[in-house]
Amino acid sequence: AQSVTQLGSHVSVSEGALVLLRCNYSSSVPPYLFWYVQYPNQGLQLLLKYTTGATLVKGINGFEAEFKKSETSFHLTKPSAHMSDAAEYFCAVRGTGFQKLVFGTGTRLLVSP
Amino acid sequence: NAGVTQTPKFQVLKTGQSMTLQCAQDMNHNSMYWYRQDPGMGLRLIYYSASEGTTDKGEVPNGYNVSRLNKREFSLRLESAAPSQTSVYFCASIMNVGGYEQYFGPGTRLTVT
């Protein structure tokens, strides 16, 4: 079965610092991987996705993620944090069966001035 | 396009009461999903509908029923609410057949006392 592990339920950075949110996955099929962002009291919004092809994927708001098969990882990065990046971030992998996603437990990003 | 809409936004129920959460999408998507989000547990799939007229159980279906009324609408019913069903409920839909990118509604925050 597919699964996702997000290391760190909370990550704190200063404004302007590097953002690194970790995601490791387990999958019995070629993985499709996703990062979603959830701002307070809102639904989830897709940041970026990897299906096939280039392993470095760029998303919205300056975020990017690199698929590393040998490490079964799909970490999310942003060179310089902004206050508006404060949100909860979810990593997901496609599940078995019909068009399902399996989500990690989420990482809350806190950005301080 | 409104995307995925959910009603109500907030609801408080007493134990044993029933209610229906409504979800609609105007993107002509075939597949729709219901998730619940609980702190530290990420999103868990309750039910999904691959197409109009079909529904299937997800990871945590107990205590819930669903109806795919037409292609646009997918409702979630709690017949006899329990405090364990206090959660935030999200509806989502998939862009196309074979795809995995899900579009989410804004959520319904349900409290059962």
Side-chain angles (χ1 to χ4, degrees):
Chain A
Q2 279 60 255
S3 66
V4 171
T5 301
Q6 292 185 240
L7 295 175
S9 59
H10 292 80
V11 169
S12 295
V13 299
S14 299
E15 194 172 19
L18 171 72
V19 175
L20 171 61
L21 304 182
R22 299 179 188 274
C23 172
N24 289 88
Y25 69 90
S26 171
S27 180
S28 56
V29 297
Y32 290 2
L33 295 155
F34 303 81
W35 275 101
Y36 281 85
V37 60
Q38 184 182 31
Y39 298 104
N41 300 314
Q42 294 187 28
L44 278 70
Q45 178 184 0
L46 183 69
L47 267 181
L48 51 80
K49 64 181 179 182
Y50 168 80
T51 54
T52 58
T55 55
L56 182 62
V57 180
K58 295 187 186 300
I60 61 171
N61 301 337
F63 284 92
E64 62 183 36
E66 186 170 12
F67 168 60
K68 292 187 176 181
K69 184 177 179 180
S70 61
E71 299 177 9
T72 60
S73 69
F74 191 58
H75 301 330
L76 183 70
T77 60
K78 182 174 181 178
S80 177
H82 193 272
M83 296 295 289
S84 60
D85 295 325
E88 189 151 23
Y89 292 80
F90 291 92
C91 183
V93 65
R94 70 164 168 171
T96 53
F98 180 80
Q99 290 184 280
K100 296 178 189 174
L101 290 179
V102 175
F103 287 86
T105 53
T107 298
R108 186 168 298 277
L109 177 65
L110 307 168
V111 183
S112 56
Chain B
N1 283 352
V4 180
T5 57
Q6 292 183 237
T7 55
K9 283 187 167 50
F10 302 93
Q11 184 71 47
V12 179
L13 292 177
K14 294 187 188 304
T15 296
Q17 289 185 317
S18 62
M19 79 161 295
T20 300
L21 282 63
Q22 305 287 354
C23 173
Q25 52 89 12
D26 61 2
M27 297 176 283
N28 201 36
H29 290 175
N30 288 316
S31 306
M32 299 183 72
Y33 303 77
W34 275 106
Y35 292 92
R36 59 178 289 171
Q37 182 183 28
D38 301 292
M41 302 190 75
L43 276 79
R44 293 181 292 169
L45 182 64
I46 304 172
Y47 270 94
Y48 66 100
S49 171
S51 61
E52 184 179 352
T54 69
T55 60
D56 284 285
K57 295 178 180 179
E59 184 184 355
V60 289
N62 291 346
Y64 305 95
N65 285 302
V66 290
S67 295
R68 182 74 182 268
L69 305 170
N70 47 54
K71 190 171 186 178
R72 289 187 64 248
E73 298 172 289
F74 188 37
S75 62
L76 179 71
R77 183 161 179 83
L78 286 70
E79 291 291 352
S80 179
S84 61
Q85 294 178 305
T86 293
S87 188
V88 182
Y89 291 86
F90 288 100
C91 179
S93 65
I94 283 263
M95 188 163 61
N96 56 23
V97 175
Y100 287 83
E101 180 177 333
Q102 296 189 8
Y103 290 77
F104 283 81
T108 294
R109 189 173 295 273
L110 175 66
T111 302
V112 183
T113 62

